[in-house]
Amino acid sequence: MTIIPMRDLKDTVAVEKHCQEAGGPVFVTKNGYGRLVVMDIEYYEKTLGKLYEAQLVNDGLKDIEQNNITDGATVKARLSAKYGL
């Protein structure tokens, strides 16, 4: 984890370097307290992808809990009928 003071944001090249080297977010503090998080766009996109996948898994688990499921044979029959497979 990389932590830098707010005044270091003036040197954008150094902040970018911190983001690349950290391989994750860089936390920016002001008066000793966390204020901002700066991260590389690739890390940001990867993190958003993981959050999206986790949400899909949670949605699937909710479907199972609510018995909102269909067995594979039924799905296959419906697809075959609809698309002539």
Side-chain angles (χ1 to χ4, degrees):
M1 175 169 41
T2 303
I3 301 172
I4 62 172
M6 184 77 73
R7 68 177 174 272
D8 287 0
L9 287 178
K10 293 177 184 176
D11 187 357
T12 57
V13 173
V15 172
E16 180 183 9
K17 184 177 177 182
H18 279 296
C19 289
Q20 286 180 326
E21 290 173 355
V26 173
F27 298 90
V28 182
T29 61
K30 183 176 181 180
N31 298 324
Y33 295 96
R35 296 297 296 154
L36 302 171
V37 176
V38 181
M39 64 185 77
D40 183 78
I41 191 70
E42 289 177 21
Y43 180 83
Y44 173 76
E45 289 173 345
K46 184 169 59 171
T47 301
L48 281 183
K50 288 179 182 179
L51 289 172
Y52 177 72
E53 290 170 2
Q55 183 60 49
L56 291 175
V57 169
N58 284 334
D59 291 346
L61 292 172
K62 285 179 188 175
D63 283 342
I64 291 170
E65 287 175 1
Q66 297 171 358
N67 201 31
N68 185 19
I69 56 176
T70 305
D71 65 271
T74 303
V75 171
K76 185 178 177 183
R78 287 180 187 167
L79 289 174
S80 292
K82 184 173 182 176
Y83 295 107
L85 300 175

Coordinates of all heavy atoms in Angstrom, one line a residue:
M1 N 0.9 -1.2 0.0 CA 0.0 0.0 0.0 C 0.9 1.2 0.0 O 1.8 1.3 0.8 CB -0.9 0.0 1.2 CG -1.7 1.2 1.3 SD -3.1 1.2 2.6 CE -2.4 0.5 4.0
T2 N 0.6 2.2 -0.9 CA 1.4 3.4 -1.0 C 0.5 4.6 -0.5 O -0.6 4.7 -0.8 CB 1.8 3.7 -2.4 OG1 2.5 2.6 -2.9 CG2 2.6 4.9 -2.5
I3 N 1.1 5.3 0.4 CA 0.4 6.5 1.0 C 1.3 7.7 0.7 O 2.5 7.7 1.0 CB 0.2 6.4 2.5 CG1 -0.7 5.1 2.8 CG2 -0.5 7.6 3.1 CD1 -0.8 4.8 4.2
I4 N 0.7 8.8 0.1 CA 1.5 10.0 -0.1 C 0.7 11.2 0.4 O -0.6 11.1 0.5 CB 1.7 10.2 -1.6 CG1 0.4 10.3 -2.4 CG2 2.6 9.0 -2.2 CD1 0.6 10.7 -3.9
P5 N 1.4 12.3 0.8 CA 0.7 13.5 1.2 C 0.1 14.2 0.0 O 0.6 14.1 -1.1 CB 1.8 14.3 1.9 CG 3.0 13.8 1.3 CD 2.8 12.4 0.9
M6 N -0.9 15.0 0.3 CA -1.6 15.8 -0.7 C -0.7 16.7 -1.5 O -0.8 16.8 -2.7 CB -2.7 16.7 -0.1 CG -3.6 17.5 -1.0 SD -4.8 16.5 -1.8 CE -6.0 16.2 -0.5
R7 N 0.3 17.2 -0.9 CA 1.3 18.1 -1.6 C 2.0 17.4 -2.7 O 2.5 18.0 -3.7 CB 2.2 18.8 -0.6 CG 3.2 17.8 0.0 CD 4.2 18.5 0.9 NE 5.0 17.5 1.6 CZ 4.7 16.9 2.7 NH1 3.6 17.3 3.4 NH2 5.6 16.0 3.3
D8 N 2.2 16.1 -2.6 CA 2.9 15.3 -3.7 C 2.1 15.2 -5.0 O 2.6 14.8 -6.0 CB 3.2 13.9 -3.2 CG 4.4 13.9 -2.2 OD1 4.9 15.0 -1.9 OD2 4.8 12.8 -1.7
L9 N 0.8 15.6 -4.9 CA 0.0 15.5 -6.2 C 0.4 16.5 -7.2 O 0.1 16.4 -8.4 CB -1.5 15.8 -5.8 CG -2.2 14.6 -5.1 CD1 -3.7 15.0 -4.8 CD2 -2.2 13.3 -6.0
K10 N 1.2 17.5 -6.8 CA 1.7 18.5 -7.7 C 2.6 17.9 -8.7 O 2.7 18.3 -9.9 CB 2.5 19.6 -7.0 CG 1.6 20.5 -6.1 CD 2.4 21.5 -5.4 CE 1.5 22.3 -4.4 NZ 2.2 23.2 -3.6
D11 N 3.3 16.8 -8.3 CA 4.3 16.1 -9.2 C 3.5 14.9 -9.8 O 3.6 13.8 -9.4 CB 5.5 15.7 -8.5 CG 6.6 15.1 -9.4 OD1 6.3 15.0 -10.6 OD2 7.6 14.7 -8.8
T12 N 2.8 15.2 -10.9 CA 1.9 14.2 -11.5 C 2.7 13.0 -12.1 O 2.2 11.9 -12.0 CB 1.0 14.8 -12.6 OG1 1.9 15.4 -13.6 CG2 0.1 15.8 -12.1
V13 N 3.9 13.2 -12.5 CA 4.7 12.1 -13.1 C 5.1 11.2 -11.9 O 5.0 10.0 -12.1 CB 6.0 12.7 -13.8 CG1 6.9 11.6 -14.2 CG2 5.6 13.5 -15.0
A14 N 5.4 11.7 -10.8 CA 5.8 10.9 -9.6 C 4.6 10.1 -9.1 O 4.7 8.9 -8.8 CB 6.4 11.7 -8.5
V15 N 3.4 10.7 -9.2 CA 2.2 10.1 -8.7 C 1.8 8.9 -9.7 O 1.5 7.8 -9.3 CB 1.0 11.0 -8.6 CG1 -0.3 10.3 -8.4 CG2 1.3 12.1 -7.5
E16 N 2.0 9.2 -11.0 CA 1.8 8.1 -12.0 C 2.7 6.9 -11.7 O 2.3 5.8 -11.8 CB 1.9 8.6 -13.4 CG 1.7 7.6 -14.4 CD 1.9 8.1 -15.9 OE1 2.5 9.2 -16.0 OE2 1.6 7.4 -16.8
K17 N 4.0 7.2 -11.4 CA 5.0 6.2 -11.2 C 4.6 5.4 -9.9 O 4.7 4.2 -9.9 CB 6.3 6.9 -11.0 CG 7.5 5.9 -10.8 CD 8.8 6.6 -10.7 CE 9.9 5.6 -10.5 NZ 11.2 6.2 -10.3
H18 N 4.1 6.1 -8.9 CA 3.7 5.4 -7.7 C 2.5 4.4 -8.0 O 2.5 3.3 -7.5 CB 3.1 6.4 -6.6 CG 4.2 7.1 -5.8 ND1 5.0 6.4 -5.0 CD2 4.5 8.4 -5.7 CE1 5.9 7.2 -4.4 NE2 5.6 8.4 -4.8
C19 N 1.6 4.9 -8.8 CA 0.5 4.0 -9.2 C 0.9 2.8 -9.9 O 0.5 1.6 -9.7 CB -0.5 4.8 -10.1 SG -1.5 6.0 -9.2
Q20 N 1.9 2.9 -10.9 CA 2.4 1.8 -11.6 C 3.2 0.8 -10.7 O 3.0 -0.4 -10.8 CB 3.3 2.2 -12.8 CG 2.6 2.8 -13.9 CD 3.5 3.3 -15.0 OE1 4.6 3.7 -14.7 NE2 3.1 3.2 -16.3
E21 N 4.0 1.4 -9.8 CA 4.8 0.5 -9.0 C 4.0 -0.2 -7.9 O 4.3 -1.3 -7.6 CB 5.9 1.4 -8.3 CG 7.0 1.8 -9.3 CD 8.0 2.8 -8.6 OE1 7.8 3.2 -7.5 OE2 8.9 3.2 -9.3
A22 N 3.0 0.5 -7.4 CA 2.1 -0.1 -6.4 C 1.3 -1.2 -6.9 O 0.9 -2.2 -6.2 CB 1.2 1.0 -5.7
G23 N 0.9 -1.2 -8.2 CA 0.0 -2.2 -8.7 C -1.3 -2.1 -8.1 O -2.1 -3.1 -8.2
G24 N -1.7 -1.0 -7.5 CA -3.0 -0.9 -6.9 C -3.2 0.6 -6.6 O -2.5 1.5 -7.1
P25 N -4.1 0.9 -5.7 CA -4.4 2.3 -5.4 C -3.3 3.0 -4.6 O -2.6 2.3 -3.8 CB -5.7 2.2 -4.6 CG -5.7 0.9 -4.0 CD -5.0 0.0 -5.0
V26 N -3.2 4.2 -4.8 CA -2.3 5.1 -4.0 C -3.2 6.0 -3.1 O -4.1 6.7 -3.7 CB -1.3 5.9 -4.9 CG1 -0.5 6.9 -4.0 CG2 -0.4 5.0 -5.7
F27 N -3.0 5.9 -1.8 CA -3.8 6.7 -0.9 C -3.2 8.0 -0.7 O -2.0 8.1 -0.4 CB -4.0 5.9 0.4 CG -4.7 4.6 0.2 CD1 -4.0 3.5 -0.1 CD2 -6.1 4.6 0.2 CE1 -4.7 2.3 -0.3 CE2 -6.8 3.4 0.0 CZ -6.0 2.2 -0.3
V28 N -4.0 9.1 -0.8 CA -3.5 10.5 -0.6 C -4.1 11.0 0.7 O -5.3 10.9 1.0 CB -4.0 11.4 -1.8 CG1 -3.4 12.8 -1.6 CG2 -3.5 10.7 -3.1
T29 N -3.2 11.5 1.6 CA -3.6 12.1 2.9 C -3.5 13.6 2.9 O -2.7 14.2 2.2 CB -2.8 11.5 4.0 OG1 -1.4 11.9 3.8 CG2 -2.9 10.0 4.1
K30 N -4.3 14.1 3.8 CA -4.3 15.6 4.0 C -4.3 15.7 5.6 O -5.3 15.2 6.2 CB -5.4 16.3 3.4 CG -5.4 17.8 3.6 CD -6.5 18.5 2.8 CE -6.4 20.0 3.0 NZ -7.5 20.7 2.2
N31 N -3.3 16.4 6.1 CA -3.2 16.5 7.6 C -3.3 15.2 8.3 O -3.9 15.1 9.3 CB -4.3 17.5 8.1 CG -4.2 18.9 7.5 OD1 -3.1 19.4 7.3 ND2 -5.3 19.5 7.2
G32 N -2.7 14.1 7.7 CA -2.7 12.8 8.3 C -3.9 12.0 8.1 O -3.9 10.9 8.6
Y33 N -4.9 12.5 7.4 CA -6.2 11.7 7.2 C -6.4 11.4 5.8 O -6.0 12.2 4.9 CB -7.4 12.5 7.7 CG -7.3 12.8 9.2 CD1 -6.8 14.0 9.7 CD2 -7.8 11.8 10.1 CE1 -6.8 14.2 11.1 CE2 -7.8 12.0 11.5 CZ -7.3 13.2 12.0 OH -7.2 13.4 13.3
G34 N -6.9 10.2 5.5 CA -7.2 9.8 4.1 C -8.2 10.8 3.4 O -9.2 11.1 4.0
R35 N -7.8 11.2 2.2 CA -8.7 12.1 1.5 C -9.1 11.6 0.1 O -10.2 11.8 -0.4 CB -8.1 13.5 1.4 CG -7.8 14.2 2.7 CD -9.1 14.5 3.4 NE -9.9 15.5 2.6 CZ -11.2 15.6 2.7 NH1 -11.9 14.9 3.5 NH2 -11.8 16.4 1.9
L36 N -8.1 11.0 -0.6 CA -8.3 10.6 -2.0 C -7.6 9.3 -2.2 O -6.8 8.8 -1.5 CB -7.6 11.6 -2.9 CG -8.1 13.1 -2.9 CD1 -7.1 13.9 -3.8 CD2 -9.5 13.2 -3.4
V37 N -8.1 8.6 -3.3 CA -7.4 7.4 -3.8 C -7.2 7.6 -5.3 O -8.1 8.0 -6.0 CB -8.3 6.2 -3.6 CG1 -7.7 5.0 -4.2 CG2 -8.7 6.0 -2.1
V38 N -5.9 7.4 -5.7 CA -5.5 7.5 -7.1 C -5.1 6.1 -7.6 O -4.4 5.4 -6.8 CB -4.4 8.5 -7.2 CG1 -4.0 8.7 -8.7 CG2 -4.7 9.9 -6.6
M39 N -5.5 5.7 -8.8 CA -5.1 4.4 -9.3 C -5.0 4.4 -10.8 O -5.5 5.3 -11.5 CB -6.1 3.4 -8.9 CG -7.5 3.5 -9.4 SD -8.7 2.4 -8.8 CE -9.1 3.0 -7.2
D40 N -4.2 3.5 -11.2 CA -4.0 3.3 -12.7 C -5.3 2.8 -13.3 O -6.1 2.1 -12.7 CB -2.9 2.2 -12.8 CG -2.6 1.9 -14.3 OD1 -1.8 2.8 -14.8 OD2 -3.0 0.9 -14.8
I41 N -5.6 3.2 -14.5 CA -6.8 2.9 -15.2 C -7.0 1.4 -15.4 O -8.1 0.9 -15.2 CB -7.0 3.6 -16.6 CG1 -8.4 3.5 -17.1 CG2 -6.0 3.1 -17.6 CD1 -9.4 4.3 -16.4
E42 N -5.9 0.7 -15.6 CA -6.0 -0.8 -15.7 C -6.5 -1.4 -14.4 O -7.3 -2.3 -14.4 CB -4.7 -1.4 -16.2 CG -4.3 -1.1 -17.6 CD -3.0 -1.6 -18.0 OE1 -2.5 -2.5 -17.3 OE2 -2.4 -1.1 -19.0
Y43 N -5.9 -1.0 -13.3 CA -6.3 -1.5 -12.0 C -7.8 -1.2 -11.7 O -8.6 -2.0 -11.3 CB -5.4 -0.9 -10.9 CG -5.8 -1.4 -9.5 CD1 -5.3 -2.6 -9.1 CD2 -6.6 -0.6 -8.7 CE1 -5.7 -3.1 -7.8 CE2 -7.0 -1.1 -7.5 CZ -6.5 -2.3 -7.0 OH -6.9 -2.8 -5.8
Y44 N -8.2 0.1 -12.1 CA -9.6 0.5 -11.9 C -10.5 -0.4 -12.7 O -11.5 -0.9 -12.2 CB -9.7 1.9 -12.4 CG -11.1 2.5 -12.4 CD1 -11.8 2.8 -11.2 CD2 -11.8 2.6 -13.6 CE1 -13.1 3.3 -11.2 CE2 -13.1 3.1 -13.6 CZ -13.7 3.5 -12.4 OH -15.0 3.9 -12.4
E45 N -10.2 -0.6 -14.0 CA -11.1 -1.5 -14.8 C -11.1 -2.9 -14.3 O -12.2 -3.5 -14.3 CB -10.6 -1.4 -16.3 CG -10.9 -0.1 -16.9 CD -10.3 0.1 -18.3 OE1 -9.4 -0.7 -18.7 OE2 -10.7 1.0 -19.0
K46 N -10.0 -3.4 -13.9 CA -10.0 -4.8 -13.3 C -10.8 -4.9 -12.1 O -11.6 -5.8 -11.9 CB -8.5 -5.2 -13.0 CG -8.4 -6.6 -12.6 CD -6.9 -7.1 -12.6 CE -6.1 -6.2 -11.6 NZ -4.7 -6.8 -11.4
T47 N -10.7 -3.9 -11.2 CA -11.5 -3.9 -10.0 C -13.0 -3.8 -10.3 O -13.8 -4.5 -9.7 CB -11.1 -2.7 -9.1 OG1 -9.7 -2.8 -8.8 CG2 -11.8 -2.6 -7.8
L48 N -13.4 -2.9 -11.2 CA -14.8 -2.8 -11.6 C -15.3 -4.2 -12.2 O -16.4 -4.6 -11.9 CB -15.0 -1.7 -12.6 CG -15.1 -0.3 -12.1 CD1 -15.4 0.7 -13.3 CD2 -16.1 -0.2 -11.0
G49 N -14.5 -4.8 -13.0 CA -14.8 -6.1 -13.5 C -15.1 -7.2 -12.4 O -16.1 -7.9 -12.4
K50 N -14.2 -7.2 -11.4 CA -14.4 -8.1 -10.2 C -15.7 -7.8 -9.5 O -16.4 -8.7 -9.1 CB -13.2 -8.0 -9.3 CG -12.0 -8.6 -9.9 CD -10.8 -8.5 -8.9 CE -9.6 -9.1 -9.4 NZ -8.4 -9.0 -8.5
L51 N -16.0 -6.5 -9.3 CA -17.2 -6.1 -8.6 C -18.5 -6.5 -9.4 O -19.4 -7.0 -8.9 CB -17.3 -4.6 -8.4 CG -16.3 -4.0 -7.4 CD1 -16.3 -2.5 -7.4 CD2 -16.7 -4.5 -6.0
Y52 N -18.4 -6.4 -10.7 CA -19.5 -6.8 -11.6 C -19.7 -8.3 -11.5 O -20.8 -8.8 -11.4 CB -19.2 -6.4 -13.1 CG -20.3 -6.8 -14.0 CD1 -21.5 -6.3 -14.0 CD2 -20.0 -7.9 -14.9 CE1 -22.5 -6.7 -14.9 CE2 -21.0 -8.3 -15.8 CZ -22.2 -7.7 -15.8 OH -23.2 -8.1 -16.7
E53 N -18.6 -9.1 -11.6 CA -18.7 -10.5 -11.5 C -19.3 -11.0 -10.1 O -20.1 -11.9 -10.0 CB -17.3 -11.2 -11.7 CG -16.9 -11.1 -13.1 CD -15.4 -11.5 -13.3 OE1 -14.8 -11.9 -12.3 OE2 -14.9 -11.4 -14.4
A54 N -18.8 -10.3 -9.0 CA -19.3 -10.6 -7.7 C -20.8 -10.3 -7.6 O -21.6 -11.1 -7.0 CB -18.6 -9.8 -6.6
Q55 N -21.3 -9.3 -8.3 CA -22.7 -9.0 -8.3 C -23.5 -10.0 -9.0 O -24.6 -10.4 -8.6 CB -23.0 -7.6 -8.9 CG -24.5 -7.2 -8.9 CD -25.0 -7.1 -7.4 OE1 -24.4 -6.5 -6.6 NE2 -26.1 -7.7 -7.2
L56 N -23.0 -10.5 -10.1 CA -23.6 -11.6 -10.9 C -23.7 -12.9 -10.0 O -24.8 -13.5 -10.0 CB -22.9 -11.9 -12.2 CG -22.9 -10.8 -13.2 CD1 -22.1 -11.2 -14.4 CD2 -24.4 -10.6 -13.7
V57 N -22.7 -13.2 -9.3 CA -22.7 -14.4 -8.4 C -23.8 -14.2 -7.3 O -24.6 -15.1 -7.1 CB -21.3 -14.6 -7.8 CG1 -21.4 -15.7 -6.7 CG2 -20.3 -15.1 -8.9
N58 N -23.8 -13.0 -6.7 CA -24.8 -12.7 -5.7 C -26.2 -12.8 -6.2 O -27.1 -13.4 -5.6 CB -24.6 -11.3 -5.1 CG -23.4 -11.4 -4.1 OD1 -23.1 -12.4 -3.5 ND2 -22.8 -10.2 -3.9
D59 N -26.4 -12.3 -7.5 CA -27.8 -12.4 -8.1 C -28.1 -13.9 -8.3 O -29.3 -14.3 -8.1 CB -27.8 -11.7 -9.4 CG -27.7 -10.2 -9.3 OD1 -27.9 -9.7 -8.1 OD2 -27.4 -9.5 -10.3
G60 N -27.2 -14.7 -8.7 CA -27.4 -16.1 -8.9 C -27.8 -16.8 -7.6 O -28.7 -17.7 -7.6
L61 N -27.1 -16.5 -6.6 CA -27.3 -17.1 -5.3 C -28.7 -16.7 -4.8 O -29.4 -17.5 -4.2 CB -26.3 -16.7 -4.2 CG -24.9 -17.2 -4.5 CD1 -23.8 -16.6 -3.6 CD2 -24.9 -18.8 -4.4
K62 N -29.1 -15.4 -5.0 CA -30.5 -15.0 -4.6 C -31.5 -15.8 -5.4 O -32.5 -16.2 -4.8 CB -30.7 -13.5 -4.9 CG -30.0 -12.6 -3.9 CD -30.2 -11.2 -4.2 CE -29.4 -10.3 -3.3 NZ -29.5 -8.9 -3.7
D63 N -31.3 -16.0 -6.7 CA -32.2 -16.8 -7.5 C -32.3 -18.2 -6.9 O -33.4 -18.8 -6.8 CB -31.7 -16.9 -8.9 CG -32.0 -15.7 -9.7 OD1 -32.8 -14.9 -9.3 OD2 -31.4 -15.5 -10.8
I64 N -31.2 -18.8 -6.5 CA -31.3 -20.2 -5.9 C -32.1 -20.1 -4.6 O -32.9 -21.0 -4.4 CB -29.9 -20.7 -5.7 CG1 -29.2 -21.0 -7.0 CG2 -29.9 -22.0 -4.8 CD1 -27.7 -21.3 -6.9
E65 N -31.8 -19.1 -3.7 CA -32.5 -19.0 -2.5 C -34.0 -18.9 -2.7 O -34.9 -19.4 -1.9 CB -32.0 -17.8 -1.7 CG -30.7 -18.0 -1.1 CD -30.2 -16.8 -0.4 OE1 -30.9 -15.7 -0.4 OE2 -29.0 -16.8 0.1
Q66 N -34.4 -18.2 -3.7 CA -35.8 -17.9 -4.0 C -36.4 -19.0 -4.9 O -37.6 -18.9 -5.4 CB -36.0 -16.5 -4.7 CG -35.6 -15.4 -3.8 CD -35.5 -14.1 -4.5 OE1 -35.7 -14.0 -5.7 NE2 -35.2 -13.0 -3.8
N67 N -35.7 -20.0 -5.2 CA -36.1 -21.1 -6.0 C -36.5 -20.7 -7.4 O -37.4 -21.2 -8.0 CB -37.2 -22.0 -5.4 CG -37.3 -23.3 -6.0 OD1 -36.3 -23.9 -6.4 ND2 -38.5 -23.9 -6.0
N68 N -35.8 -19.6 -7.9 CA -36.1 -19.1 -9.2 C -35.1 -19.7 -10.2 O -34.2 -19.1 -10.7 CB -35.9 -17.6 -9.2 CG -36.3 -16.9 -10.5 OD1 -37.0 -17.5 -11.3 ND2 -35.8 -15.7 -10.7
I69 N -35.2 -21.0 -10.4 CA -34.2 -21.8 -11.2 C -34.9 -22.7 -12.1 O -36.1 -23.0 -12.0 CB -33.3 -22.6 -10.3 CG1 -34.1 -23.5 -9.4 CG2 -32.4 -21.7 -9.4 CD1 -33.2 -24.5 -8.5
T70 N -34.2 -23.1 -13.2 CA -34.8 -24.0 -14.2 C -33.7 -25.1 -14.4 O -32.5 -24.7 -14.6 CB -35.1 -23.3 -15.5 OG1 -36.0 -22.2 -15.2 CG2 -35.8 -24.2 -16.5
D71 N -34.1 -26.3 -14.5 CA -33.1 -27.4 -14.7 C -32.6 -27.3 -16.2 O -33.2 -26.8 -17.1 CB -33.7 -28.8 -14.4 CG -34.8 -29.2 -15.3 OD1 -36.0 -28.8 -15.0 OD2 -34.5 -29.8 -16.4
G72 N -31.4 -27.9 -16.4 CA -30.7 -27.9 -17.7 C -31.5 -28.5 -18.8 O -31.5 -28.0 -19.9
A73 N -32.2 -29.6 -18.5 CA -33.0 -30.3 -19.6 C -34.1 -29.4 -20.1 O -34.4 -29.3 -21.3 CB -33.5 -31.6 -19.1
T74 N -34.8 -28.6 -19.2 CA -35.8 -27.7 -19.6 C -35.3 -26.6 -20.4 O -35.9 -26.2 -21.5 CB -36.6 -27.2 -18.4 OG1 -37.1 -28.3 -17.6 CG2 -37.7 -26.3 -18.7
V75 N -34.2 -26.0 -20.0 CA -33.6 -24.9 -20.8 C -33.2 -25.4 -22.2 O -33.4 -24.7 -23.2 CB -32.3 -24.4 -20.0 CG1 -31.6 -23.4 -20.9 CG2 -32.8 -23.7 -18.7
K76 N -32.6 -26.6 -22.2 CA -32.1 -27.1 -23.5 C -33.3 -27.3 -24.4 O -33.3 -27.0 -25.6 CB -31.4 -28.4 -23.3 CG -30.8 -29.0 -24.6 CD -30.1 -30.3 -24.3 CE -29.6 -30.9 -25.6 NZ -28.9 -32.2 -25.4
A77 N -34.4 -27.8 -23.9 CA -35.6 -28.1 -24.7 C -36.2 -26.7 -25.2 O -36.6 -26.6 -26.4 CB -36.7 -28.8 -23.9
R78 N -36.2 -25.7 -24.3 CA -36.7 -24.4 -24.8 C -35.9 -23.8 -25.9 O -36.4 -23.2 -26.8 CB -36.8 -23.5 -23.5 CG -37.9 -23.8 -22.6 CD -37.9 -22.8 -21.4 NE -38.8 -23.2 -20.4 CZ -38.8 -22.6 -19.2 NH1 -37.9 -21.7 -18.8 NH2 -39.7 -23.0 -18.3
L79 N -34.6 -23.9 -25.7 CA -33.7 -23.3 -26.7 C -33.8 -24.1 -28.0 O -33.8 -23.5 -29.1 CB -32.2 -23.4 -26.2 CG -31.9 -22.4 -25.1 CD1 -30.4 -22.7 -24.6 CD2 -32.0 -21.0 -25.6
S80 N -33.9 -25.4 -27.9 CA -34.1 -26.2 -29.2 C -35.4 -25.8 -29.9 O -35.4 -25.7 -31.1 CB -34.1 -27.7 -28.8 OG -32.9 -28.1 -28.3
A81 N -36.4 -25.6 -29.1 CA -37.7 -25.3 -29.7 C -37.7 -23.9 -30.4 O -38.2 -23.6 -31.4 CB -38.8 -25.4 -28.7
K82 N -37.0 -22.9 -29.6 CA -37.0 -21.6 -30.1 C -36.1 -21.4 -31.3 O -36.4 -20.6 -32.2 CB -36.6 -20.7 -28.9 CG -36.6 -19.2 -29.3 CD -36.3 -18.3 -28.0 CE -36.4 -16.9 -28.4 NZ -36.2 -16.0 -27.2
Y83 N -34.9 -22.0 -31.3 CA -33.9 -21.8 -32.3 C -33.7 -23.0 -33.2 O -32.8 -22.9 -34.1 CB -32.6 -21.4 -31.6 CG -32.7 -20.1 -30.9 CD1 -32.7 -20.1 -29.5 CD2 -32.7 -18.9 -31.5 CE1 -32.8 -18.9 -28.8 CE2 -32.8 -17.7 -30.8 CZ -32.8 -17.7 -29.4 OH -32.9 -16.6 -28.7
G84 N -34.5 -24.0 -33.1 CA -34.4 -25.1 -33.9 C -33.1 -25.9 -33.8 O -32.5 -26.4 -34.8
L85 N -32.5 -25.9 -32.7 CA -31.2 -26.6 -32.4 C -31.4 -28.1 -32.3 O -32.3 -28.6 -31.8 CB -30.6 -26.1 -31.2 CG -30.3 -24.6 -31.2 CD1 -29.7 -24.1 -29.9 CD2 -29.3 -24.2 -32.3

